[in-house]
Amino acid sequence: MSLPDWVNSFAAQAAQASGAGLPWLSAVRQRALERFEQEGWPTTRIEAWHHTSLALLEQQSFAPRKSASAAELVASVRQQEDGYFLVFVDGHYDAALSHLDELPAGVRLASLSACLERDADWLQQAYGDESQGASTAALNLALAQDGAALHIAAGKHLEQPVHLVFVRTQGGSASFTRNLISLESGASATVVEHYVGQDGMDASLSSVVTRLNVAPDANLTHMKLQQEALQDFHLAAIDVQQGRGSVFNSHSLSFGARIARNDIATVFNGERCETLFNGLYFVDGRRHVDHNTLIDHAQPNCQSREFYRGILADTARGVFSGRVLVGKGADGTDSVQRSDSLLLSKMARADSRPELEIYADDVKCAHGATVGQLDADSLFYLRSRGMSMEDARNMLIYAFAAQSLERIASESLRSRATVGINALLPGGLALGDLA
């Protein structure tokens, strides 16, 4: 299978890419490119991609064209909020727009490109290889030139959040980003990935892989806020390894892109691990969003909670495929998984497939899914209290989304997510002032 011309053009730049002089990285990139060339884009014949077609993406060609102001987009994201900001413009680190002053001792935060040039030894194990994930992840491995590298030493607590901001200023462009985040034993941090684009330009592609290592007794909260332009494509994967007694909280908020695919997986490598997968998405028009998750209970006495909510309007489509795997000997597993979808039109569609795969005896597991429209009785109740039909509908839609937002413990992160969803929901801005 021949590669698309734009993939070939990116691959031709490999000799000038960051880390091109590292033998181990060059070999990994070559093997990953060969895998993608052999497999091509995932098709609907693959079970995990049965409800998501990339045929529209395959037809695209990517060459940067019209530009927007990066500074204005970054300012709209930052809004004077405290924290450390690592900013990437069209896939490349921008030091002038970043803010990394006064990092505590034991915390290393830099662009991946800089680390590959100056301090690549600690990245080799974390980088991953071509066998992991779908062919889209292999393409990312082959072509990724930048991203964030964060390492927190044992016992260190990062009080302020780390914001990884990715802004798109060039229509028709493609970027391949790889983020490597590692917390040693007993460390804690909050990391926000924020993707921002601008409507009205040619379609662009964001390919993102974020790899996280949460060592024993470490605690990591990770929030991904995807607000890219409505014509763009967003293909992403989050891969997590959890050590004994670690806690990982994931909040995946998908509000933009023409097609958005999010693969999120964690593996429990020790006892007493805990994880929360919390997701919220809104799609309208002909947009499509897909969350595909895996929680691997490979060790006993671990707990997982998974809640995804989707709001769909017009002819949009949402997909949730969640798999909880309880391995042999993983007794004491406690797992809950739920997916709920709210359809605002008769033509909107939601596909939900929660799965439990259990090979242990002493476990407590539950899963469920609902797909429905606004409750007629609730609408009648609000109307009987003097609300107009429009206000009643908007209130119920907001309440549906609020259940996901309430699971975000950090007030600043919850506020950031609330502003994002309120800008999209019917009447959301007005209702947000009342909430």
Side-chain angles (χ1 to χ4, degrees):
M1 177 181 295
S2 61
L3 293 174
D5 291 341
W6 61 268
V7 175
N8 280 323
S9 67
F10 275 94
Q13 303 171 22
Q16 289 77 41
S18 301
L22 300 170
W24 65 266
L25 183 54
S26 296
V28 166
R29 283 172 169 167
Q30 183 59 39
R31 292 196 301 268
L33 194 62
E34 291 171 355
R35 181 191 166 192
F36 182 77
E37 184 173 19
Q38 180 180 5
E39 297 182 13
W41 295 106
T43 71
T44 54
R45 292 190 297 272
I46 299 173
E47 183 66 22
W49 291 79
H50 181 67
H51 298 294
T52 298
S53 170
L54 297 182
L56 187 61
L57 174 59
E58 292 184 73
Q59 300 168 15
Q60 300 292 318
S61 60
F62 295 102
R65 287 177 279 274
K66 181 180 177 182
S67 295
S69 170
E72 292 180 4
L73 288 173
V74 172
S76 69
V77 170
R78 187 171 177 182
Q79 298 178 347
Q80 305 304 314
E81 187 173 334
D82 293 333
Y84 307 98
F85 285 79
L86 205 67
V87 177
F88 298 82
V89 179
D90 299 314
H92 299 282
Y93 175 62
D94 191 314
L97 294 175
S98 299
H99 175 76
L100 300 178
D101 294 344
E102 300 178 356
L103 280 169
V107 177
R108 182 164 42 181
L109 174 62
S111 68
L112 181 63
S113 56
C115 290
L116 288 173
E117 295 296 335
R118 300 194 300 263
D119 185 22
D121 291 344
W122 72 278
L123 296 177
Q124 184 170 356
Q125 184 176 0
Y127 211 86
D129 61 53
E130 73 284 352
S131 67
Q132 297 163 333
S135 62
T136 50
L139 182 65
N140 176 278
L141 179 61
L143 303 182
Q145 297 187 20
D146 217 340
L150 171 64
H151 180 269
I152 302 180
K156 296 294 182 178
H157 301 277
L158 198 55
E159 299 295 335
Q160 294 184 337
V162 174
H163 295 264
L164 310 179
V165 182
F166 302 86
V167 299
R168 177 78 62 187
T169 68
Q170 296 179 324
S173 60
S175 60
F176 300 86
T177 300
R178 204 163 186 87
N179 302 312
L180 306 179
I181 299 170
S182 179
L183 273 66
E184 293 188 10
S185 298
S188 65
T190 297
V191 177
V192 181
E193 290 183 45
H194 199 154
Y195 297 84
V196 184
Q198 191 171 64
D199 295 333
M201 298 190 293
D202 293 334
S204 295
L205 166 66
S206 291
S207 168
V208 184
V209 171
T210 299
R211 293 176 55 80
L212 306 106
N213 180 59
V214 188
D217 300 315
N219 188 315
L220 175 62
T221 294
H222 178 268
M223 186 173 91
K224 179 183 174 185
L225 184 53
Q226 190 272 109
Q227 293 178 296
E228 294 192 300
L230 301 183
Q231 70 273 7
D232 287 350
F233 300 88
H234 186 92
L235 304 179
I238 298 172
D239 296 319
V240 190
Q241 297 288 327
Q242 290 187 238
R244 173 188 50 79
S246 63
V247 177
F248 173 67
N249 295 319
S250 167
H251 304 285
S252 178
L253 310 167
S254 186
F255 303 148
R258 172 67 175 83
I259 295 177
R261 165 79 177 206
N262 299 280
D263 292 311
I264 308 174
T266 190
V267 180
F268 297 153
N269 295 313
E271 293 192 43
R272 296 184 293 102
C273 292
E274 296 182 18
T275 197
L276 167 66
F277 280 14
N278 179 44
L280 175 65
Y281 66 85
F282 174 87
V283 280
D284 57 4
R286 300 177 62 187
R287 297 193 298 123
H288 181 110
V289 63
D290 183 349
H291 282 89
N292 186 283
T293 71
L294 168 65
I295 300 176
D296 187 350
H297 284 260
Q299 299 293 329
N301 303 314
C302 297
Q303 176 180 289
S304 66
R305 296 291 183 265
E306 184 172 14
F307 307 100
Y308 280 81
R309 296 204 144 204
I311 303 171
L312 304 94
D314 305 321
T315 59
R317 185 174 183 182
V319 180
F320 170 78
S321 298
R323 182 182 176 210
V324 175
L325 173 61
V326 182
K328 186 176 181 180
D331 295 332
T333 290
D334 182 357
S335 177
V336 174
Q337 180 193 71
R338 186 170 181 86
S339 168
D340 299 291
S341 301
L342 177 62
L343 306 182
L344 302 183
S345 74
K346 293 182 178 179
M347 297 299 292
R349 176 177 172 182
D351 296 285
S352 184
R353 188 177 63 180
E355 298 182 21
L356 290 176
E357 190 172 342
I358 301 173
Y359 298 97
D361 295 326
D362 184 16
V363 301
K364 182 169 65 174
C365 298
H367 68 172
T370 64
V371 178
Q373 298 177 329
L374 293 173
D375 182 66
D377 291 339
S378 298
L379 281 172
F380 177 80
Y381 175 82
L382 294 176
R383 292 294 309 282
S384 69
R385 294 301 185 269
M387 273 194 178
S388 67
M389 175 60 79
E390 181 181 4
D391 287 344
R393 281 175 54 85
N394 294 344
M395 179 67 76
L396 292 179
I397 296 169
Y398 181 88
F400 180 86
Q403 292 190 39
S404 292
L405 300 173
E406 289 168 357
R407 298 190 184 98
I408 303 175
S410 166
E411 182 178 350
S412 64
L413 297 190
R414 186 168 61 251
S415 175
R416 182 176 288 266
T418 301
V419 170
I421 189 64
N422 282 358
L424 298 172
L425 294 181
L429 294 177
L431 287 171
D433 294 336
L434 301 175

